Amino acid sequence: MTTLSNKKFHLAWFLNFITDDWQGTWGDGGRDWSGDFYVEMARDLERACFDYVIIEDKLMVSTAYGGTMEADLKHGVNPKHDPVPLAVLMTQATERLGVVPTMSTSFYPPFLLARLCATIDHIARGRFGWNIVTSAEDRAAQNFGMDRLYEHDERYAMATEYLDLVRQLWDSWEPDAVVRDQETGTYVDHTKVHVVDFVGKYYKSRGPLNTVRSPQGHPVLCQAGASAPGREFAARYADTIVATGSNPTRMKAYRDDIRAKLVAHGRNPDDCKVLFLMSPVVADTVEEAHAKKLRWMSEPRYIEMVLATMSSITEIDFSRFDLDAPLPAVTTNGERGFLEAFARRAEGKTLRQAVIEDGMSGTADFVGTPETVADRMAEIMEEVGGDGFLITSPEKKLNRRYVTEITDGLVPALMRRGVVRTSYTHERFRDNLLEF
């Protein structure tokens, strides 16, 4: 067992709302769309003392790979259910776990989203979060009456104004506005509820919300800030950030950059937790874990599925590229940060090697027994400086067995090392996130 400092780091999980492992021995065959599997999973994550779970989302069926919907639907890339109702179910089945669905600033009216977040934070008793995205697909825009999305950097300019508005709406009720004074018959002190009269370049809203201020005031804000505008946006608003990193040096450089930007925005850098995506593969022996990973990730259908997923995310047709040649230089108006991160991981490799070795989240360092993977996680966090990991299953390999391997195998190994929480100190999401 590696001996390191006792500084703790956070754990969270990143998932899609559709049961992934519909072909495997341990899956449910893809027949359960009720959300029961994910509610069970939320209970497992809480038992393992995870800080939160993010529910990813897209708003279209992609034709980016090969110009048709075939690969997207064949591999189950973008059939998804709305994450917000599932988030409510998860909060009702748990007591401490933070739940963070994805909602897009490009398609939700600001007042509607602000009201929805405040409402669910009450239902969740202060455990709700919002994963902020601007969306990155013209095909999604076309489902909402647009021909195409705004340009990448302008989407972030719009999102900045959007966040300024929704935060003012959340603050339109002072914390003590509800008085419930039976003597005067007053439920709300009207002097403590304020219009916002927001007029910007892109958005306009009178306010106030007609929703009582939520337990946390603002939901916990999550964002995946990878591109230059994305980093600035995340540093300005986010309480926790989804990040990728191919090695500890780059992970540390990213975290240091974000923390410097937080200071530049007048924020305490410890008030935003950077969690790095990882897809651990664990087994009883190191050799068995590597064999499992190779068995999963070298199948031709797995490679096509990953490339179809990356096409959906980036709007780049990866079917055009030679699998046995390096990834050519490409640009996108889609998820630029993801593309740049994958391109860095693919340096010096063929496209096939990059997919098999690293997948979409970079798993090379996290294959082994629960003990060896826990050691590596602790070592990397010591080198990076914090703040934790965001676990996601290898593509389409999420099932009860995988969840159990993490919650009942890997996490106990981390707990024995004293590097993750063994219980929750607080009732509310943000308080637990800021505990260390």
Side-chain angles (χ1 to χ4, degrees):
M1 182 185 298
T2 300
T3 301
L4 295 168
S5 74
N6 288 326
K7 181 179 179 182
K8 288 183 172 63
F9 56 81
H10 299 269
L11 293 176
W13 197 296
F14 185 94
L15 60 81
N16 299 309
F17 184 9
I18 194 164
T19 304
D20 289 82
D21 191 5
W22 59 276
Q23 296 184 92
T25 305
W26 297 90
D28 75 339
R31 292 183 293 270
D32 179 12
W33 300 297
S34 68
D36 288 350
F37 168 80
Y38 296 101
V39 170
E40 292 175 17
M41 182 178 172
R43 293 191 183 106
D44 288 337
L45 296 181
E46 182 166 83
R47 180 168 51 82
C49 297
F50 275 62
D51 278 73
Y52 62 89
V53 56
I54 293 178
I55 314 169
E56 187 268 347
D57 196 25
K58 295 290 180 188
L59 294 164
M60 49 86 210
V61 175
S62 178
T63 58
Y65 188 85
T68 78
M69 293 186 289
E70 180 182 359
D72 190 278
L73 294 174
K74 174 184 175 181
H75 296 291
V77 173
N78 273 307
K80 300 176 191 293
H81 287 184
D82 193 306
V84 178
L86 177 62
V88 175
L89 287 176
M90 285 178 158
T91 66
Q92 296 308 286
T94 56
E95 295 180 355
R96 294 291 184 270
L97 182 72
V99 183
V100 187
T102 299
M103 292 178 280
S104 175
T105 59
S106 294
F107 306 122
Y108 269 87
F111 186 94
L112 179 65
L113 185 139
R115 187 172 185 256
L116 182 64
C117 287
T119 300
I120 300 178
D121 199 40
H122 279 288
I123 293 172
R125 296 178 177 84
R127 293 183 291 118
F128 189 67
W130 168 27
N131 182 35
I132 306 164
V133 298
T134 64
S135 293
E137 309 86 18
D138 288 341
R139 290 153 187 82
Q142 290 156 13
N143 289 333
F144 290 85
M146 302 165 61
D147 292 328
R148 63 186 61 84
L149 283 176
Y150 290 95
E151 191 275 331
H152 178 276
D153 290 3
E154 186 170 13
R155 294 201 303 272
Y156 274 105
M158 296 173 71
T160 297
E161 186 174 293
Y162 189 110
L163 262 291
D164 288 342
L165 169 54
V166 297
R167 294 203 308 175
Q168 289 184 41
L169 288 168
W170 288 325
D171 290 337
S172 62
W173 287 60
E174 295 182 26
D176 58 349
V178 178
V179 293
R180 287 184 285 214
D181 187 329
Q182 294 185 353
E183 290 186 7
T184 63
T186 302
Y187 183 65
V188 177
D189 181 347
H190 75 280
T191 67
K192 296 185 177 182
V193 179
H194 310 285
V195 298
V196 300
D197 286 331
F198 186 96
V199 179
K201 180 179 179 181
Y202 303 103
Y203 303 105
K204 181 179 181 179
S205 181
R206 177 182 181 273
L209 285 183
N210 63 336
T211 314
V212 174
R213 184 179 178 89
S214 75
Q216 297 183 107
H218 298 184
V220 170
L221 300 180
C222 174
Q223 212 268 329
S227 64
R231 292 188 190 204
E232 289 293 340
F233 182 85
R236 185 169 180 172
Y237 299 111
D239 300 299
T240 183
I241 294 174
V242 179
T244 61
S246 56
N247 59 59
T249 300
R250 284 177 171 161
M251 292 164 71
K252 185 177 188 305
Y254 176 86
R255 181 173 181 268
D256 289 347
D257 180 60
I258 287 291
R259 288 173 68 84
K261 286 178 167 55
L262 282 157
V263 172
H265 283 287
R267 299 182 61 194
N268 180 346
D270 291 332
D271 287 348
C272 180
K273 306 303 180 184
V274 179
L275 271 60
F276 292 92
L277 279 167
M278 62 175 294
S279 296
V281 179
V282 297
D284 290 340
T285 68
V286 172
E287 293 76 18
E288 183 183 345
H290 281 281
K292 182 196 291 189
K293 179 189 172 186
L294 185 62
R295 186 169 62 249
W296 285 350
M297 300 183 179
S298 59
E299 295 179 1
R301 63 185 178 183
Y302 174 85
I303 294 172
E304 183 182 67
M305 183 270 298
V306 170
L307 294 177
T309 303
M310 294 198 301
S311 293
S312 166
I313 291 171
T314 63
E315 298 256 288
I316 293 170
D317 184 1
F318 277 83
S319 72
R320 298 183 291 115
F321 304 138
D322 184 347
L323 281 173
D324 296 307
L327 177 69
V330 286
T331 59
T332 182
N333 190 41
E335 291 195 15
R336 193 172 296 168
F338 171 84
L339 178 63
E340 292 170 354
F342 180 79
R344 286 193 297 270
R345 295 200 304 274
E347 289 174 1
K349 303 173 185 176
T350 66
L351 182 55
R352 187 193 308 273
Q353 289 170 332
V355 170
I356 292 173
E357 292 176 16
D358 290 329
M360 292 178 59
S361 58
T363 63
D365 279 332
F366 305 113
V367 181
T369 67
E371 301 294 333
T372 63
V373 173
D375 279 342
R376 187 59 181 146
M377 291 172 69
E379 290 166 359
I380 287 178
M381 276 297 105
E382 184 78 4
E383 185 173 344
V384 171
D387 299 291
F389 290 102
L390 186 65
I391 294 174
T392 186
S393 63
E395 287 298 305
K396 303 305 174 190
K397 294 301 178 185
L398 179 63
N399 53 45
R400 288 177 175 85
R401 179 182 181 179
Y402 185 82
V403 174
T404 300
E405 287 174 339
I406 304 304
T407 59
D408 292 67
L410 178 58
V411 172
L414 291 166
M415 288 179 174
R416 288 192 291 272
R417 284 154 178 76
V419 294
V420 297
R421 70 168 77 249
T422 57
S423 64
Y424 296 98
T425 305
H426 305 284
E427 294 184 357
R428 293 178 180 173
F429 180 8
R430 180 177 281 103
D431 294 333
N432 282 315
L433 190 65
L434 296 180
E435 182 183 353
F436 50 82

